[in-house]
Amino acid sequence: MKIFTISRISSILISGFIFCSFQPEDNSFKETESGVRITYDRGYLEVKVWSDRIVEVIYSPKDEMSKSESLIVNKEFIPVPFQVNSNENDIELITGRLKVIINKKSGLIQFSDRSGNQILAEKSRYLNKRYYCDEPVYQISQKWQLAPDEGIFGLGQHQDDIMNYRDRKVTLVQTNTVAANPFLISTRNYGILWDNYSKTVFKDNATGAEFWSEIADRIDYYFVYGDNMDDVIAGYRELTGTAPMFGKWAFGYWQSKERYVDADDLLSVVKRYRLEEIPIDNIVQDWCYWADYDKDDAGHTWQSAKKQWSSMKFDPSTYPKPEETIKEIHEKYNMHYMISIWPALGPETDIYKELKSKGLTYKPEHWSSGYLYDTYSEEARNIYWKYVKEGLIDKGVDALWMDGTEPELGDQHTFEVSEENIKSFGQTALGPMAKYMNTYSLMTTDGAYQNFRKDVEGKRLLILTRSGFAGQQRNAAVTWSGDINANWNVFRKQISAGINFCMAGIPYWTTDIGAFFVKGHEVDDGPGMYPEGCTDPAYREFYLRWFQFGAFSPIFRSHGTNTPREVWQFGDKESPFYKSLLKFDNLRYRLMPYIYSIAWKVTNDGYTIMRGLPMDFPNDIATYGIDNQYMFGSSLMVSPVTEEQYYLLNPIGDNDEKKIRSVDVYLPAGIGWFDFWTGEKFEGGKTISRETPLDIMPLFVKEGSIVPMGPKLQYATEKQADPIELRIYSGADASFVLYEDENDNYNYEKGIYATINIDWNELKQQLTIGERLGKFPGMLKRRIFNIVWVEKNHGVEMEAESKPDKTVEYSGGK
């Protein structure tokens, strides 16, 4: 069938499809309060100005211009100044930063800066009318022509080993290991937010870059322009919502596994972590705390557990005194407690019965024998929250692990299966699931976060969820990469998946350190390859390298099945594995002032922690395709080791573990780089070979950096960050804003926090510690800064420098 694009003049009906023409009517152009609107013979084109750098483009069939409320954009529209010029061929819409040129005849749009330099240009669009469940809908496409040298990133989490999506195709359908987000960002400092929730495909090839969606009422997208890629992501969050601060504990280490069988099992792990002085902040209870699952080999108890699936209640057989247990975890061991919940609800649970009685559940049966609730209904979200609060939050639970939120029905590791399963839910409170299929996790986290903010005082919510979509950052949601397999190919793919997920605007992401499946479970990337689990030296090396990566992920979390994951499971205290795991755990906590201050930038400035190299080095085209290195904040470049080197799974020839291996690391051009572990400085714009003994993951610091490091801690709030070691990496000007607050409430939204600006002037060789701005209860009024100018073998490694260059007693003045 031939597709007629917007350059065609006539409307054609073929096999039930209507191809919309773009022949303008007389007097079709109209200036509106929000922008401009052009009437064509079968539809309307509207360009709406949201700010001086954000423009919305809508093309709607003529009889269907009414625009339903967006699920992803929650910004209230407020008119802003703009200018409109019109001539015979074009309409110019001019803002403080953009010039939007609309061709009157074709309807095609060109986005330029105020000087007329083209940023992006449309190439074609179409709407194909069709019927879905006897309702008229449209299949839509929008195409743009990209510049030859630009790189494009984002689109969510896709485990395909790809960084730059030029000349690539990406399917946006949620699966167990895919988190779709229709936000694209370019090295030319613009982004496109595609406001559609159905099955979507993005592709770029010689004919242009295109978003195609299966079901829509209209074409609707937002063009976001910025000074740099951070500014573009900040614009995305301006539209879709700010990412709130997590409690400081959330940036510490999380221990999880499938699963701690009861309260005694979990408490034994909590006690041992504190006894062995291994830093940790969060212990996680996975599924089946709602029933006695393990004590009946005949399987009868399993059947009972399924009937009570996600009841939001602790069963007395597993947690006889849940409030006392959680209180002990909090008060005696200074840990937080997270618990898993599901949108699937067992048929004998009170929550399912109430939701079903009101017609707020779906008919297809979940693999657990439960049924999913209709999260598109506000009433259903409120009922769901009621049971979560009464059964879990009121018992002391700190954080929610909302599992299976694609939504999952069965084993959904492929697009085809996931699409079929999700569509099988039929009608939602808003309309066909096929129309809204990618937004289930957004809506269910919306319900939890909004109700938590109304009902719970004095603590910040954190949600862990296996799926993600545009706007989900506003719900305090972390996405993890799903049920993945333990092999090196899968491990490497996590890096580009996480970077692109974060570059799509959602800043908090994590993985199952060591992979979920350690053995078996064959999928495209191969099975888990370590049936002996943590007793196998080859798996220990694999786990250690992943743990090193985890220590430099936005959230630092271990989880999985088949084998235990606690640190002591990987050898005694003198083993190289135990010692290195402890080293990187301690390093994460020493970096807490750096990490928590960056988290504030995420909330306050729309910043991104896990950063593809093009974000900081857009002029170095060599960075565009690098899929195994990234920036962690503004200063630290991370290069995880993603290959076996010492304990080979299938050793051939020399397997001498004493022989030091190495990996290649690219140092972006235009700036110098310090080796974090040695202080040695290298010139950028070249690839170097870095030796990688088991206790080293390549870590480089760009010149012109200030990295604050605190004392060693057993948990994030054990003591104030005093003294702070300021490591100065000279060679260029540097600045850092040290942020502190009460660590766990929303008072920061009222301005109750403090910042200290720290600046290094390379020309003057002068460090300035600025005046402290703001205050909060419990603030440390006097502190010590130990200042270290990093050089070879000075101010290096994880331990504090024994001979700082300068010690400053600071009382808040400049």
Side-chain angles (χ1 to χ4, degrees):
M1 182 187 302
K2 187 170 183 179
I3 303 281
F4 284 78
T5 67
I6 63 174
S7 60
R8 294 283 172 172
I9 302 302
S10 58
S11 287
I12 301 176
L13 176 64
I14 302 176
S15 301
F17 288 77
I18 296 177
F19 299 86
C20 298
S21 109
F22 287 76
Q23 179 66 40
E25 296 179 344
D26 293 337
N27 303 315
S28 60
F29 159 56
K30 178 182 179 183
E31 185 174 340
T32 69
E33 178 188 42
S34 60
V36 296
R37 183 178 180 185
I38 306 173
T39 303
Y40 292 92
D41 62 352
R42 293 197 63 82
Y44 300 99
L45 175 66
E46 183 174 10
V47 180
K48 186 174 180 180
V49 180
W50 285 75
S51 75
D52 63 356
R53 66 194 186 99
I54 301 175
V55 172
E56 183 182 12
V57 176
I58 303 168
Y59 183 79
S60 178
K62 192 170 183 180
D63 57 349
E64 301 174 27
M65 191 59 188
S66 61
K67 177 167 166 46
S68 58
E69 183 178 353
S70 174
L71 298 184
I72 59 178
V73 173
N74 69 345
K75 176 182 172 67
E76 180 182 354
F77 180 80
I78 300 173
V80 297
F82 60 87
Q83 176 185 340
V84 177
N85 300 324
S86 178
N87 59 40
E88 182 180 352
N89 298 317
D90 299 319
I91 302 164
E92 283 188 346
L93 194 156
I94 302 171
T95 76
R97 297 176 67 179
L98 289 173
K99 183 179 290 186
V100 182
I101 304 170
I102 309 162
N103 183 283
K104 287 183 175 179
K105 183 176 181 180
S106 70
L108 294 176
I109 299 172
Q110 175 186 304
F111 301 94
S112 302
D113 64 20
R114 280 292 299 264
S115 299
N117 300 306
Q118 182 175 302
I119 305 165
L120 179 70
E122 292 185 340
K123 194 171 182 182
S124 65
R125 73 172 68 93
Y126 68 76
L127 298 88
N128 297 345
K129 192 167 187 178
R130 56 182 295 203
Y131 287 82
Y132 186 85
C133 297
D134 297 325
E135 294 293 328
V137 298
Y138 289 88
Q139 206 172 73
I140 61 173
S141 166
Q142 177 73 58
K143 186 175 287 189
W144 303 264
Q145 186 63 56
L146 306 187
D149 60 347
E150 69 181 290
I152 52 176
F153 308 90
L155 299 176
Q157 169 197 283
H158 303 277
Q159 300 185 35
D160 47 19
D161 215 16
I162 297 170
M163 265 305 303
N164 185 358
Y165 284 107
R166 293 307 303 267
D167 299 313
R168 303 286 186 172
K169 179 179 177 181
V170 187
T171 300
L172 301 185
V173 170
Q174 313 287 16
T175 75
N176 186 308
T177 55
V178 170
N181 185 350
F183 180 66
L184 180 78
I185 189 168
S186 166
T187 53
R188 291 174 66 85
N189 298 333
Y190 70 84
I192 297 170
L193 177 60
W194 183 249
D195 198 348
N196 185 276
Y197 322 129
S198 69
K199 178 183 179 180
T200 294
V201 176
F202 173 83
K203 62 182 179 182
D204 175 62
N205 54 37
T207 68
E210 177 187 24
F211 273 111
W212 170 94
S213 290
E214 183 179 48
I215 298 177
D217 298 322
R218 64 189 64 79
I219 290 172
D220 191 349
Y221 74 89
Y222 297 79
F223 174 86
V224 183
Y225 182 56
D227 293 331
N228 50 48
M229 294 175 83
D230 279 306
D231 198 26
V232 174
I233 290 175
Y236 155 85
R237 297 210 197 124
E238 180 184 337
L239 284 170
T240 62
T242 298
M245 285 288 286
F246 293 142
K248 185 179 279 189
W249 65 268
F251 299 102
Y253 175 60
W254 300 13
Q255 183 62 68
S256 180
K257 74 172 186 179
E258 187 198 46
R259 66 186 174 78
Y260 298 113
V261 299
D262 55 28
D264 290 339
D265 185 23
L266 182 136
L267 278 173
S268 69
V269 172
V270 168
K271 293 174 184 178
R272 187 161 178 181
Y273 265 99
R274 288 290 177 246
L275 180 66
E276 296 204 11
E277 297 184 336
I278 303 170
I280 186 173
D281 264 277
N282 188 28
I283 191 75
V284 184
Q285 176 62 62
D286 201 352
W287 58 317
C288 276
Y289 54 86
W290 52 73
D292 185 353
Y293 167 59
D294 290 282
K295 298 177 183 177
D296 187 341
D297 294 335
H300 301 304
T301 306
W302 169 234
Q303 295 303 319
S304 174
K306 291 200 294 183
K307 293 176 182 178
Q308 291 296 325
W309 193 267
S310 204
S311 66
M312 314 301 174
K313 296 178 180 179
F314 293 98
D315 188 84
S317 65
T318 58
Y319 276 80
K321 298 179 179 180
E323 290 171 284
E324 292 182 18
T325 297
I326 298 172
K327 184 178 181 180
E328 183 178 2
I329 291 168
H330 288 162
E331 296 182 1
K332 186 174 181 180
Y333 298 106
N334 296 289
M335 286 191 205
H336 286 72
Y337 180 86
M338 170 179 269
I339 202 162
S340 73
I341 61 174
W342 298 67
L345 309 163
E348 293 186 1
T349 61
D350 293 337
I351 181 173
Y352 170 74
K353 291 175 182 177
E354 180 171 352
L355 287 163
K356 186 176 186 299
S357 71
K358 298 182 178 182
L360 298 174
T361 57
Y362 301 129
K363 292 181 179 179
E365 184 177 306
H366 185 258
W367 61 262
S368 68
S369 300
Y371 299 88
L372 277 80
Y373 84 105
D374 185 358
T375 190
Y376 298 96
S377 159
E378 182 179 6
E379 181 183 14
R381 294 194 297 272
N382 291 340
I383 292 171
Y384 188 82
W385 167 252
K386 177 182 70 173
Y387 284 90
V388 171
K389 181 179 182 298
E390 292 175 357
L392 303 175
I393 298 296
D394 289 350
K395 300 293 190 293
V397 167
D398 299 297
L400 300 173
W401 174 5
M402 303 179 77
D403 206 346
T405 52
E406 291 80 28
E408 179 190 58
L409 190 61
D411 185 8
Q412 294 179 191
H413 278 81
T414 68
F415 294 125
E416 295 79 10
V417 172
S418 190
E419 178 185 350
E420 180 181 359
N421 284 353
I422 294 172
K423 287 180 176 178
S424 74
F425 290 109
Q427 288 291 319
T428 76
L430 296 181
M433 178 62 97
K435 184 178 180 180
Y436 296 96
M437 63 179 297
N438 280 323
T439 57
Y440 192 94
S441 63
L442 172 66
M443 300 304 292
T444 192
T445 56
D446 258 348
Y449 180 74
Q450 292 170 9
N451 279 295
F452 182 95
R453 292 301 305 267
K454 287 189 297 185
D455 294 347
V456 180
E457 295 287 339
K459 65 196 302 185
R460 302 172 191 167
L461 180 61
L462 185 147
I463 296 171
L464 178 67
T465 176
R466 203 173 65 190
S467 192
F469 198 70
Q472 198 161 298
Q473 75 282 345
R474 66 181 177 244
N475 297 330
V478 178
T479 296
W480 95 98
S481 61
D483 298 343
I484 48 181
N485 289 342
N487 67 64
W488 291 94
N489 184 39
V490 169
F491 175 27
R492 174 155 179 158
K493 291 182 178 182
Q494 302 307 297
I495 302 170
S496 56
I499 296 168
N500 268 312
F501 182 82
C502 294
M503 289 179 75
I506 303 179
Y508 293 114
W509 177 88
T510 188
T511 65
D512 292 349
I513 291 176
F516 185 73
F517 295 108
V518 171
K519 59 183 178 181
H521 199 264
E522 180 77 50
V523 292
D524 289 346
D525 289 314
M529 301 173 69
Y530 303 95
E532 302 304 317
C534 64
T535 63
D536 181 353
Y539 181 70
R540 289 183 175 187
E541 179 184 357
F542 176 80
Y543 183 87
L544 170 59
R545 294 305 193 187
W546 203 316
F547 191 92
Q548 292 168 348
F549 167 58
F552 287 88
S553 296
I555 298 297
F556 183 22
R557 165 185 171 270
S558 175
H559 179 68
T561 191
N562 306 133
T563 192
R565 307 294 171 118
E566 297 81 20
V567 170
W568 55 84
Q569 305 285 358
F570 293 86
D572 60 41
K573 291 185 177 182
E574 296 305 312
S575 78
F577 303 105
Y578 184 101
K579 289 164 72 173
S580 184
L581 291 170
L582 184 60
K583 173 181 176 177
F584 276 82
D585 194 7
N586 276 315
L587 177 56
R588 174 78 175 201
Y589 279 84
R590 283 217 64 210
L591 286 168
M592 194 61 71
Y594 176 80
I595 295 169
Y596 198 59
S597 297
I598 293 172
W600 168 244
K601 286 189 68 176
V602 169
T603 297
N604 194 57
D605 303 332
Y607 192 70
T608 299
I609 298 176
M610 189 175 188
R611 311 167 58 77
L613 296 183
M615 292 188 72
D616 293 286
F617 310 101
N619 296 324
D620 185 351
I621 295 177
T623 65
Y624 291 9
I626 292 177
D627 65 350
N628 63 339
Q629 296 174 214
Y630 60 95
M631 295 298 293
F632 186 71
S634 59
S635 300
L636 301 173
M637 185 173 70
V638 184
S639 181
V641 179
T642 57
E643 57 190 29
E644 56 186 354
Q645 295 181 323
Y646 297 97
Y647 297 88
L648 307 185
L649 185 64
N650 297 299
I652 299 175
D654 181 19
N655 191 31
D656 180 6
E657 66 177 85
K658 296 180 181 179
K659 181 179 179 181
I660 302 299
R661 273 66 171 183
S662 63
V663 298
D664 290 339
V665 180
Y666 178 72
L667 304 177
I671 200 164
W673 294 89
F674 291 82
D675 188 317
F676 176 85
W677 305 107
T678 68
E680 186 177 2
K681 191 174 182 181
F682 298 87
E683 181 183 348
K686 62 183 180 180
T687 298
I688 65 169
S689 179
R690 179 57 166 97
E691 290 187 342
T692 51
L694 284 171
D695 69 334
I696 294 293
M697 175 185 67
L699 190 62
F700 289 85
V701 189
K702 72 178 180 67
E703 68 178 7
S705 290
I706 299 171
V707 178
M709 299 180 70
K712 286 186 177 179
L713 301 169
Q714 288 299 294
Y715 53 95
T717 57
E718 180 186 12
K719 52 189 173 184
Q720 299 271 19
D722 188 51
I724 283 181
E725 180 178 78
L726 288 180
R727 293 191 180 180
I728 314 300
Y729 296 84
S730 59
D733 291 347
S735 62
F736 191 86
V737 179
L738 183 69
Y739 171 86
E740 296 176 305
D741 63 15
E742 295 172 273
N743 300 322
D744 195 6
N745 58 44
Y746 290 103
N747 286 342
Y748 71 85
E749 295 178 340
K750 305 171 186 175
I752 302 174
Y753 60 85
T755 60
I756 302 171
N757 285 25
I758 306 167
D759 297 286
W760 168 249
N761 186 304
E762 180 69 17
L763 180 64
K764 294 181 178 180
Q765 292 286 290
Q766 182 182 80
L767 182 74
T768 302
I769 303 175
E771 180 183 359
R772 180 170 51 222
L773 303 176
K775 61 182 179 179
F776 59 90
M779 182 180 72
L780 188 66
K781 295 181 179 179
R782 297 177 181 271
R783 71 182 339 136
I784 298 294
F785 286 110
N786 289 326
I787 302 165
V788 180
W789 280 269
V790 175
E791 57 187 28
K792 191 171 183 178
N793 299 322
H794 183 67
V796 300
E797 267 277 2
M798 186 272 295
E799 299 291 344
E801 173 57 50
S802 60
K803 297 179 180 180
D805 297 302
K806 183 78 173 178
T807 295
V808 174
E809 295 184 12
Y810 179 80
S811 301
K814 182 177 179 180

